[in-house]
Amino acid sequence: MAAQFGRRLRKGATATTVAALVVAALSASEAPGSTSLPGGERAAEATDPPGTAVTGNSPYFTDLPPLNTPNRPNRPGTSIDLPVVAGPAEAGIPATVLAAYKRAENTVRASQPGCRLPWQLLAAIGKVESGQARGGRVNANGTTLTPILGPQLNGVGFANISDTDDGAYDGDATHDRAVGPMQFIPSTWATWGQDGNADGRKDPNNIYDAALAAGRYLCAHDRDLSQQDDLDQAILGYNRSREYLRTVMSWFDYYRRGNHEVPDGTGVLPVTTGPDSHVGGSAGDRPGGRGATTPPSSGPSTPGKPGSGKPPASGKPDDDTTPPAKPPTTPPAKPPTTPPPAKPPTDPAPAPVAALERLGSASVTATEGERFSDRLRVRAKTAAGKAVPGAKVQFQIVGDTAARFPGAATRAVVTTGVDGIATAPVLGAGGRPGSFVVHAKALGAAAPTADFAATVKAKPAPAPRSDALVRTSDKELTAQAGGSFADAVEVKATYKGKAAAGVGVTATMITGDADKPVQNDKGPYFEDADGKAVRTLTALKTGADGLLKLPVIHTDGNAGTYKLRLTTADGVVLVVELTVTAATTAPPAEPSTTPSAPSPATPTA
């Protein structure tokens, strides 16, 4: 085990001293992307956030990352020669655990872009809380192979939190315990629990669920985690300890400098818990805690010797009686003095916002029950027209509407990026049609608001449905060529045995197979408004009683048997047969029986 973990931190003052030295060393490294560690004045300025900490202030692992970071070794000539706390393998994160952190980052970014949650922060917290789920001992769905439980929070050395879940999560019906890879106490999980792997459950023992819940919690209160003050408050909300803050920030900085994926179950396990604390629960609940079967080893060792963590080559207990070597008499060299770390530069205050420029459309529209596809965006600008990064912009819904931002919120605060642009979270239309306004306001500035007009349209009524279409009469339909059918074609549409009103029907005179209809070019026909022959009618609808009576059907000079095909919008088909007989010869007109008037008399001479 000594070979696996290297030297490790001890409890109490030793851990605090080494933590401070690591802070100084990392600050001096000036590595790209380095995050200022809150070990000095900045940490002292932070105030503890209100409420119960996520973990109930349960113990955590105080192992610090190695000074040789994944991407950059110690700089030559450094005046500090600190012990390496863990080997280079510390940069490895188990595959499923790493995937959960990155998925949580993407999910939170979509709904809370102003939070700027980095997955490396989740990895840092997961490292100190559970050693990345015990080195990635999770199944394919991300659930830990065995529960990870903190000690009983019974007030003896820890917080006193009586049971809140009847032991459902922690198996303890008396007091709560921190649960899972991100160590949520049950009462906090009841509020912040998430379903990160979309399996329909919110399980604190699942790394996908726990990582997303941790991300949501860290982003609460409109925090922008790219701002150090907000970042400090978020981490302190997880555990009310300044050493915890320093430890998490050390790992956060380390993972940002470099990391890599390792197979599940092969991650390096931490071994040292927080000052004056121990890990409770059943044996092996947390790596290195009470119940660990391998005793800690101190310093370098030789195989087969005490403290090596390995048995002697013979396989028998070592019986070495060689007296210890006499310690050297040369006095140790005086340790070099190290100047205090330079105070981190203070970020300049953002320029005052004089105007908010509305980007995109000034009005957006969505259908009730759906989301607005257009995102609301503004650019914060100075009086000179330059973009203002780092400004906080509040988007507020005003009006009688059910539209909401994620989390059923009516307002959302977003920090502008380097381009001065703030993009509101996705806006849900809600279940009520109407109009409202979204005000965009620069907080702490007198700039005018930028307003967006929003409209929620009523959801279209579902199309009437039908599952049957029948004639209301079984009388044969017959007409002579050159005439018209005396009996109209009437049908009724029903759905589940009830009259189906408003059902669309298409009527077509066809030839050939009814399943592969082709419009006929002769035989019976309808007439349009201009009196012209048409053999297809559309936009027909059944009445309130489900009935539809077709217009008069005329015939041309062709006798024969024809087919009229009726089809509803649901695909229900009815074929009606039409018979056209040959026209009969008209009988000759009968002679008139009316006497003719006498011819006028011819005058005689």
Side-chain angles (χ1 to χ4, degrees), residues 33-426:
S34 175
T35 301
S36 298
L37 298 176
E41 291 79 4
R42 302 193 71 167
E45 293 170 0
T47 56
D48 290 349
T52 302
V54 167
T55 67
N57 291 336
S58 291
Y60 56 91
F61 293 106
T62 60
D63 293 32
L64 293 178
L67 297 183
N68 289 330
T69 60
N71 290 344
R72 189 171 182 175
N74 285 343
R75 294 173 60 189
T78 179
S79 59
I80 303 176
D81 184 17
L82 295 180
V84 175
V85 178
E90 286 287 5
I93 301 176
T96 299
V97 177
L98 180 60
Y101 295 150
K102 292 184 176 180
R103 181 184 295 185
E105 178 193 61
N106 292 334
T107 301
V108 172
R109 183 191 298 125
S111 59
Q112 296 172 268
C115 176
R116 295 180 171 86
L117 170 72
W119 69 260
Q120 293 91 340
L121 178 59
L122 297 175
I125 292 174
K127 180 68 175 181
V128 302
E129 291 298 340
S130 68
Q132 311 297 20
R134 290 204 193 103
R137 295 187 66 244
V138 296
N139 63 20
N141 294 324
T143 302
T144 58
L145 300 181
T146 55
I148 301 175
L149 300 176
Q152 188 182 64
L153 299 176
N154 56 10
V156 181
F158 310 109
N160 189 351
I161 303 179
S162 298
D163 174 65
T164 60
D165 66 333
D166 290 330
Y169 292 123
D170 55 15
D172 191 330
T174 304
H175 290 85
D176 275 347
R177 298 169 181 257
V179 181
M182 302 302 278
Q183 289 289 278
F184 277 84
I185 56 174
S187 57
T188 308
W189 183 259
T191 300
W192 293 97
Q194 301 287 316
D195 179 12
N197 61 350
D199 64 354
R201 300 180 59 211
K202 298 178 181 180
D203 183 3
N205 295 297
N206 183 278
I207 186 59
Y208 287 101
D209 296 357
L212 181 56
R216 296 287 191 205
Y217 179 88
L218 293 167
C219 288
H221 309 298
D222 299 320
R223 293 189 184 109
D224 177 0
L225 299 182
S226 67
Q227 303 297 316
Q228 189 66 48
D229 288 344
D230 282 0
L231 179 60
D232 291 350
Q233 291 297 310
I235 297 172
L236 287 172
Y238 222 92
N239 191 306
R240 308 272 192 270
S241 165
R242 296 295 164 177
E243 173 137 350
Y244 181 85
L245 177 61
R246 287 191 289 270
T247 305
V248 169
M249 285 299 298
S250 296
W251 283 107
F252 178 37
D253 187 89
Y254 182 74
Y255 286 135
R256 288 180 63 184
R257 294 172 186 238
N259 57 79
H260 60 272
E261 179 184 301
V262 298
D264 289 346
T266 64
V268 174
L269 304 182
V271 294
T272 309
T273 53
D276 304 320
S277 64
H278 64 280
V279 179
S282 59
D285 278 344
R286 290 172 68 166
R290 186 173 63 192
T293 58
T294 305
S297 171
S298 58
S301 57
T302 304
K305 301 297 181 183
S308 68
K310 298 183 180 180
S314 64
K316 298 179 181 180
D318 187 25
D319 190 20
D320 187 7
T321 58
T322 303
K326 184 178 180 179
T329 57
T330 304
K334 184 179 179 179
T337 58
T338 304
K343 182 178 179 179
T346 303
D347 294 334
V353 178
L356 288 179
E357 176 190 4
R358 188 174 51 221
L359 303 178
S361 176
S363 59
V364 292
T365 305
T367 302
E368 62 177 316
E370 299 179 359
R371 294 180 175 181
F372 285 84
S373 57
D374 295 322
R375 299 286 291 273
L376 310 183
R377 300 191 307 148
V378 295
R379 177 183 283 111
K381 301 168 65 175
T382 65
K386 293 184 177 180
V388 181
K392 289 189 179 293
V393 177
Q394 174 182 273
F395 293 88
Q396 182 174 5
I397 299 171
V398 179
D400 182 17
T401 178
R404 293 292 185 269
F405 291 118
T410 58
R411 66 182 66 191
V413 177
V414 179
T415 304
T416 59
V418 294
D419 54 3
I421 295 176
T423 303
V426 175

